[in-house]
Amino acid sequence: MASPAPIRIKRANSVPPVVVDMETRATEADHQALRLWLRLLSCHLRIENQIRARLRENFRTTLARFDLMAQLERHPDGLRMSDLSKSLMVTGGNVTGITDQLEREKLVLRVVDRRDRRAIKAKLTTAGSARFREMAARHEQWVVELLAGLNEQEKRSMYTLLHKLKLHLNGPAVKSKPRYRSK
Amino acid sequence: MASPAPIRIKRANSVPPVVVDMETRATEADHQALRLWLRLLSCHLRIENQIRARLRENFRTTLARFDLMAQLERHPDGLRMSDLSKSLMVTGGNVTGITDQLEREKLVLRVVDRRDRRAIKAKLTTAGSARFREMAARHEQWVVELLAGLNEQEKRSMYTLLHKLKLHLNGPAVKSKPRYRSK
């Protein structure tokens, strides 16, 4: 079947060329944001996969367990299970299941919240805290190594840019989405 | 029990102060890398949570499903299940399970690989491709909005920095880890 002749749209002389340019720029800017997000995703994934593999290999543990212990280490008095869920930095973990596991290994214990005796908090045991610190020291070395592609100045620049991005993400423009519910 | 007197290490006069400074700088640089990674994680998590919530709300779908369809859209002839697993950008999805779901919804179909008749490929159906394009258009708008905290110049800078980081992550310094196996 012969293809039909292309439809030619005659451009009105009254449309200034700048409109066309602005549209092009808008599209270009959209693609720029998407490309940036995909590149951020890809770097994030590479770093996270390295950290997951190294945690598994060196400590026979998962990133979700490490992340949960990291949150507890920052709260020596313990964290309620609901707050713990909210504070985790990685996905892929079931908070109750991981806490159960760590409790069986005597790295975490559950205690009654002194201020609200109906609530249960999780906290690291002494052994859990020592284990976490050992892992955290290695983890920090890995991160230094994985980010070594950027010099100090570049790391500072990216830190500043991410700060600006985070302010925007925490701001009204993003938060005001009416029906958005965080999981 | 009284704690023992702290051990005082007498610093030899021959050690130049610059050594001490370099050590301080090294520690500072380590913390800088870790802080940068944690900030990157935190921005990543905020953006991803927004995208997850919006996909759920607007399309009743998950990021893992969206990501799987995105990979198939780039390969109109289909992708082997093993290659599909490798190419996914997000965690939290079971490739076989998601493919089964999408197949039941007639968005994906499984076909025999023409070049290797023992292998099975997944590909989008026409309906799947149309659905994906609709979601992708909205997804792009969301990403533009979520990254709007950075102006064009800043997005370009971050893109360039992430490019440099990615080259390092793909390079020998990271790849040569002897026992590292990607999952």
Side-chain angles (χ1 to χ4, degrees):
Chain A
M1 193 178 83
S3 50
I7 298 166
R8 286 170 202 277
I9 299 173
K10 200 178 167 194
R11 192 168 287 153
N13 288 336
S14 61
V15 177
V18 70
V19 171
V20 177
D21 276 352
M22 275 169 69
E23 282 172 14
T24 316
R25 268 191 9 229
T27 311
E28 187 46 42
D30 288 7
H31 286 304
Q32 191 196 20
L34 190 59
R35 280 203 314 263
L36 175 57
W37 170 237
L38 293 176
R39 185 162 283 178
L40 193 122
L41 260 185
S42 139
C43 286
H44 170 269
L45 189 69
R46 281 170 164 76
I47 296 172
E48 198 170 275
N49 277 347
Q50 282 281 339
I51 294 175
R52 280 184 201 278
R54 293 175 191 203
L55 280 173
R56 188 166 56 229
E57 202 174 273
N58 291 275
F59 298 103
R60 307 207 174 281
T61 194
T62 64
L63 187 54
R65 282 168 58 118
F66 177 77
D67 187 27
L68 193 148
M69 290 175 79
Q71 300 309 324
L72 293 184
E73 175 74 6
R74 288 157 152 224
H75 296 88
D77 294 334
L79 250 180
R80 289 197 194 182
M81 299 302 282
S82 51
D83 295 330
L84 189 49
S85 294
K86 280 181 224 150
S87 66
L88 294 185
M89 299 280 275
V90 297
T91 49
N94 164 305
V95 173
T96 307
I98 297 172
T99 307
D100 289 348
Q101 263 178 26
L102 292 169
E103 201 172 15
R104 279 196 297 274
E105 295 172 32
K106 305 203 190 312
L107 299 172
V108 159
L109 54 88
R110 283 179 167 95
V111 292
V112 174
D113 186 351
R114 286 188 202 167
R115 284 184 300 183
D116 174 0
R117 301 200 55 90
R118 292 161 304 179
I120 298 289
K121 284 171 143 188
K123 57 186 280 185
L124 289 181
T125 61
T126 310
S129 184
R131 173 77 64 86
F132 173 74
R133 271 179 259 155
E134 188 195 345
M135 294 193 294
R138 291 296 300 280
H139 174 267
E140 184 160 327
Q141 287 169 4
W142 299 335
V143 171
V144 168
E145 195 184 303
L146 293 166
L147 299 191
L150 301 179
N151 63 34
E152 270 191 54
Q153 172 57 44
E154 289 163 337
K155 281 201 272 273
R156 244 192 314 272
S157 298
M158 197 186 286
Y159 192 71
T160 306
L161 290 167
L162 287 169
H163 176 66
K164 209 181 156 198
L165 179 56
K166 196 170 164 181
L167 287 180
H168 169 72
L169 292 168
N170 287 341
V174 172
K175 290 281 175 189
S176 69
K177 285 284 134 198
R179 291 182 309 272
Y180 169 69
R181 279 199 315 129
S182 177
K183 64 169 182 169
Chain B
M1 191 179 83
S3 50
I7 298 166
R8 287 170 200 277
I9 300 173
K10 200 179 167 191
R11 193 169 285 151
N13 288 335
S14 60
V15 176
V18 71
V19 171
V20 177
D21 276 352
M22 276 170 68
E23 281 172 16
T24 317
R25 273 198 357 238
T27 311
E28 186 47 43
D30 288 5
H31 286 303
Q32 191 196 20
L34 190 58
R35 280 202 315 262
L36 175 56
W37 169 237
L38 292 176
R39 186 163 282 177
L40 194 123
L41 259 185
S42 140
C43 286
H44 170 269
L45 188 69
R46 281 170 165 76
I47 297 171
E48 199 171 273
N49 277 347
Q50 282 282 338
I51 294 175
R52 281 184 201 277
R54 294 175 189 202
L55 280 172
R56 188 165 58 228
E57 203 173 273
N58 291 276
F59 297 102
R60 306 207 174 280
T61 194
T62 63
L63 187 55
R65 283 169 56 119
F66 177 77
D67 187 27
L68 192 148
M69 290 175 78
Q71 301 308 324
L72 293 183
E73 174 76 5
R74 288 156 152 224
H75 296 88
D77 294 335
L79 251 181
R80 289 196 194 185
M81 299 301 282
S82 52
D83 294 331
L84 189 49
S85 293
K86 279 181 226 150
S87 66
L88 293 186
M89 299 281 275
V90 297
T91 48
N94 163 305
V95 173
T96 307
I98 296 172
T99 307
D100 289 348
Q101 262 178 26
L102 293 168
E103 200 172 16
R104 280 195 297 274
E105 296 172 32
K106 305 203 189 311
L107 300 172
V108 158
L109 53 88
R110 283 180 167 93
V111 292
V112 174
D113 187 351
R114 285 189 201 164
R115 285 184 298 185
D116 175 359
R117 300 199 59 87
R118 291 161 303 179
I120 298 289
K121 283 171 142 188
K123 57 185 280 187
L124 288 181
T125 62
T126 309
S129 184
R131 172 78 64 88
F132 174 74
R133 270 179 260 156
E134 189 196 344
M135 294 194 293
R138 291 297 299 280
H139 174 268
E140 185 160 326
Q141 287 170 4
W142 299 335
V143 171
V144 168
E145 195 184 303
L146 293 167
L147 298 192
L150 301 178
N151 64 33
E152 269 191 54
Q153 172 57 44
E154 289 164 337
K155 281 201 273 270
R156 243 194 314 273
S157 298
M158 197 185 289
Y159 192 70
T160 306
L161 290 167
L162 288 169
H163 176 65
K164 210 179 156 198
L165 179 56
K166 195 170 164 180
L167 287 180
H168 169 71
L169 292 168
N170 287 342
V174 172
K175 290 280 176 193
S176 67
K177 285 283 133 197
R179 294 182 307 272
Y180 169 68
R181 279 198 315 130
S182 179
K183 61 164 189 174

